[in-house]
């Protein structure tokens, strides 16, 4: 849990970072001759966990991996891993379940959750090829020690039929404020659905109907059985590229047709965050979105897309609590006994520091 900002993968730059925040590849695998986790009996979970953990110890660079039992994670550690997308709120808290994390944070493996093994790789921007290469390298090394369940007809066998085949799920996080502003998201959803891709919000629903908080969306492949891994990757990457071009085109049209309305919204967010003392999480997502929109519209300068992407993690509750627990802060006296207000105050300070060099382009 030591890497919290500057050295984290999400703080790095990536291709098409103005629209595509990050890409994730996930491979689902299950060991042969064992029931799926939902059907475990007696010591099945412990045996699978031991086999998988032992496999990582036989990898080429075993010291690059940290093994953690989910039962050993405290509430804060679990929250941070949830915020980073490594586990979710339903991941079992059990001595038979665990997480293996590469020291750079880019690759992780959840053991005995929905499947015996779920390998994931995270990269900034639109770079599915790099994420797949990292996942595949771990997958290949594990198969030197364990046998995964598979059949000639179905491919890899997993607990969910939709994951059978390649066992792969491709996901991209996108920032789509222009398309959201003109209510084009429902049409995009329908178009993606026809291509076997689903779109959902990243950080919760927005205030407006069919909107996502901060206009941050995630697109992902629906199932793993359509074509091979390269076909599935190409399908999602093609969709992400298309949406990115659509967002940029709409961005330019809005700046030409509604410059006053757009500037008013972005400059309001900029002015608000400069002088606020308390910043709730939902409002913070909207502020980061507006500042990023303004930067990509050419209305603001002084911050990079990767810095804005990193803020989406740094302002979340678990990451803020980590900072509060490891550093000394002198809070205003009226906030010192209220944990919620201290969190909101620190969030405001982090945003103000990040936007310190922000300037309006006339």
């Amino acid at each position: 849990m030591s890497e919290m900002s500057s050295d984290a993968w999400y703080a790095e730059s990536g291709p098409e970072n103005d629209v595509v925040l990050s890409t994730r590849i996930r491979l689902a695998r299950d060991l042969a001759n064992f029931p799926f986790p939902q059907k475990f009996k007696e010591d099945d979970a412990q045996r699978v966990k031991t086999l998988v953990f032992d496999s990582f110890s036989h990898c080429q660079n075993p010291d690059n991996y940290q093994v953690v039992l989910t039962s050993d994670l405290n509430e804060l550690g679990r929250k941070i891993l949830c915020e980073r997308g490594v586990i979710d709120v339903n991941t079992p808290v059990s001595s038979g379940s665990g997480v293996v994390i590469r020291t750079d944070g880019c690759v992780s493996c959840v053991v005995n959750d929905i499947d015996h093994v779920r390998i994931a790789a995270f990269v900034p921007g639109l770079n599915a090829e790099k994420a797949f290469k990292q996942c595949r390298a771990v997958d290949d090394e594990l198969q030197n020690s364990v046998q995964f369940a598979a059949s000639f007809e179905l491919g890899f066998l997993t607990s969910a039929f939709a994951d059978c085949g390649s066992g792969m799920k491709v996901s991209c996080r996108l920032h789509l404020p222009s398309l959201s502003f003109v209510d084009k998201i429902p049409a995009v959803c329908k178009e993606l659905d026809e291509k076997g891709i689903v779109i959902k919000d990243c950080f919760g629903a927005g205030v407006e109907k069919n909107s996502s908080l901060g206009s941050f969306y995630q697109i992902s492949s629906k199932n793993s059985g359509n074509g091979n891994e390269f076909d599935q990757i190409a399908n999602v990457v093609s969709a992400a590229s298309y949406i990115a071009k659509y967002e940029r085109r709409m961005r330019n049209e809005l700046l030409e047709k509604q410059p006053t309305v757009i500037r008013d919204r972005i400059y309001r967010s900029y002015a608000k965050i400069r002088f606020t003392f308390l910043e709730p999480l939902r409002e913070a997502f909207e502020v980061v979105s507006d500042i990023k929109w303004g930067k990509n519209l050419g209305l603001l300068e002084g911050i990079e897309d990767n810095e804005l992407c990193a803020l989406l993690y740094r302002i979340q509750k678990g990451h803020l609590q980590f900072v509060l627990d490891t550093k000394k802060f002198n809070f205003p006296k009226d906030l010192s006994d209220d944990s919620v207000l201290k969190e909101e105050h620190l969030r405001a300070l982090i945003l103000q520091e990040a936007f310190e060099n922000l300037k309006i382009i006339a």
Side-chain angles (χ1 to χ4, degrees):
M1 299 297 103
S2 60
E3 51 156 351
M4 297 306 297
S5 56
S6 61
D7 59 346
W9 68 265
Y10 50 75
E12 299 174 1
S13 298
E16 306 206 46
N17 237 172
D18 63 318
V19 178
V20 186
L21 308 181
S22 61
T23 305
R24 185 193 76 159
I25 298 284
R26 186 222 67 201
L27 299 179
R29 300 285 187 262
D30 288 272
L31 274 61
N33 303 317
F34 282 94
F36 295 127
Q38 300 89 333
K39 299 293 183 180
F40 276 160
K41 296 179 181 178
E42 300 175 349
D43 64 345
D44 285 339
Q46 294 293 339
R47 291 167 63 199
V48 169
K49 179 200 71 177
T50 299
L51 286 169
V52 176
F53 283 2
D54 185 63
S55 294
F56 275 97
S57 72
H58 289 93
C59 287
Q60 189 172 3
N61 296 297
D63 293 340
N64 288 347
Y65 297 98
Q66 178 184 4
V67 175
V68 183
L69 296 177
T70 56
S71 58
D72 290 343
L73 283 170
N74 60 22
E75 183 180 351
L76 177 57
R78 188 177 178 89
K79 186 177 292 185
I80 290 173
L81 291 181
C82 283
E83 291 172 358
R84 294 191 180 192
V86 175
I87 62 175
D88 61 39
V89 293
N90 298 316
T91 297
V93 180
S94 163
S95 62
S97 301
V99 184
V100 183
I101 304 174
R102 204 168 72 186
T103 50
D104 63 2
C106 297
V107 176
S108 62
C109 176
V110 181
V111 181
N112 287 339
D113 187 348
I114 298 172
D115 292 287
H116 298 154
V117 171
R118 286 201 161 192
I119 306 163
F122 304 83
V123 297
L126 183 59
N127 200 343
E129 183 179 345
K130 180 179 179 181
F132 177 65
K133 185 177 180 180
Q134 296 193 67
C135 267
R136 189 61 177 269
V138 175
D139 184 33
D140 288 344
E141 288 207 276
L142 293 184
Q143 291 194 59
N144 291 328
S145 305
V146 296
Q147 181 182 355
F148 292 135
S151 75
F152 182 79
E153 294 82 8
L154 296 176
F156 287 103
L157 303 178
T158 59
S159 63
F161 186 74
D163 289 327
C164 289
S166 69
M168 183 175 70
K169 184 174 184 178
V170 187
S171 305
C172 295
R173 285 189 167 186
L174 310 174
H175 182 227
L176 307 175
S178 305
L179 293 175
S180 298
F181 188 81
V182 294
D183 198 26
K184 294 291 185 181
I185 298 299
V188 171
C189 289
K190 182 178 180 181
E191 193 170 349
L192 290 179
D193 184 68
E194 294 171 354
K195 297 179 179 179
I197 297 172
V198 64
I199 183 170
K200 64 178 184 179
D201 57 74
C202 283
F203 305 111
V207 176
E208 302 296 329
K209 184 180 179 181
N210 299 320
S211 69
S212 174
L213 185 62
S215 301
F216 295 107
Y217 295 88
Q218 176 173 294
I219 65 169
S220 55
S221 48
K222 279 186 180 180
N223 64 69
S224 304
N226 296 330
N228 59 34
E229 290 95 332
F230 302 104
D231 293 333
Q232 292 166 27
I233 289 172
N235 189 37
V236 176
V237 169
S238 174
S241 297
Y242 164 75
I243 296 171
K245 291 176 183 175
Y246 193 6
E247 167 67 22
R248 293 182 192 115
R249 186 170 71 249
M250 191 56 60
R251 183 195 297 165
N252 293 333
E253 288 183 14
L254 284 171
L255 190 58
E256 181 181 346
K257 295 178 180 179
Q258 300 187 56
T260 304
V261 174
I262 301 301
R263 286 175 186 269
D264 178 74
R265 172 168 161 173
I266 291 166
Y267 295 165
R268 277 174 181 269
S269 287
Y270 173 54
K272 173 184 177 294
I273 201 59
R274 283 185 64 190
F275 301 105
T276 191
F277 286 94
L278 302 170
E279 187 66 9
L281 181 58
R282 286 183 61 87
E283 289 184 17
F285 281 128
E286 296 285 2
V287 167
V288 174
S289 174
D290 284 346
I291 298 301
K292 181 167 168 54
W293 196 19
K295 187 265 182 190
N296 297 142
L297 281 163
L299 301 178
L300 298 172
E301 64 179 4
I303 195 166
E304 299 301 322
D305 284 307
N306 60 301
E307 296 175 278
L308 289 159
C309 292
L311 279 174
L312 297 172
Y313 294 87
R314 294 177 60 203
I315 63 174
Q316 293 193 55
K317 294 176 180 293
H319 286 69
L320 285 183
Q321 189 59 52
F322 179 90
V323 176
L324 287 169
D325 289 350
T326 55
K327 296 182 180 180
K328 296 291 184 181
F329 292 94
N330 294 318
F331 288 99
K333 190 174 181 179
D334 58 328
L335 306 183
S336 58
D337 295 325
D338 192 315
S339 60
V340 174
L341 294 181
K342 286 196 293 184
E343 175 194 299
E344 292 183 357
H345 185 57
L346 179 57
R347 184 179 291 117
L349 293 176
I350 287 174
L351 289 174
Q352 286 164 2
E353 181 183 34
F355 299 152
E356 189 175 14
N357 298 320
L358 210 60
K359 295 178 181 178
I360 293 174
I361 302 175

